[in-house]
Amino acid sequence: MILYSAILIFSVFISAFSQVLLKKSALKSYDSFIREYVNIYVVPAYAIYFLAVFLDLIALRKVPVSFVPVAEASSYVFVLLFGRIFFRESFSKRKVLAMALILAGIIVFVI
């Protein structure tokens, strides 16, 4: 079950990364409608997201359903960290508090 839990967490991680790619694409302007939706950021983002869904399906065969919301909650932490790394977004006090509450909830569930 540990392997499948790791697969689930990894799928959440790469799903958060695909969101970063989509945001990078949204911040750019394109000269045509087609280029807006078929570009170097969007196509890999959807491919990564498809992989994440596929990994979710594999993980859900063995992971208890009660663990899934906990694993999915970690995506908020990943997105905040990716925002800081890729977009230089700052952490407000509310974001830090929210991240601490999410991590505390995950720790309480795991213990």
Side-chain angles (χ1 to χ4, degrees):
M1 186 179 94
I2 293 173
L3 173 65
Y4 290 96
S5 297
I7 290 171
L8 182 63
I9 296 295
F10 180 69
S11 75
V12 171
F13 179 81
I14 64 172
S15 176
F17 183 73
S18 74
Q19 291 177 33
V20 168
L21 291 176
L22 289 173
K23 182 172 180 176
K24 276 195 160 290
S25 176
L27 293 175
K28 295 180 82 173
S29 58
Y30 298 94
D31 56 352
S32 73
F33 180 77
I34 298 293
R35 286 193 182 258
E36 189 171 338
Y37 294 100
V38 180
N39 62 58
I40 196 162
Y41 295 116
V42 172
V43 173
Y46 282 118
I48 291 169
Y49 187 71
F50 177 78
L51 175 64
V53 170
F54 179 73
L55 291 174
D56 273 346
L57 292 174
I58 291 172
L60 287 173
R61 291 179 177 193
K62 301 286 183 179
V63 174
V65 176
S66 61
F67 181 70
V68 175
V70 175
E72 295 293 333
S74 65
S75 70
Y76 295 108
V77 176
F78 294 141
V79 168
L80 279 173
L81 294 175
F82 286 151
R84 177 72 176 151
I85 293 167
F86 293 105
F87 302 110
R88 309 274 191 259
E89 294 176 351
S90 62
F91 289 153
S92 66
K93 290 179 183 178
R94 290 179 72 175
K95 287 181 182 178
V96 171
L97 177 62
M99 195 178 334
L101 287 172
I102 291 169
L103 291 173
I106 291 171
I107 290 168
V108 165
F109 182 83
V110 171
I111 294 175

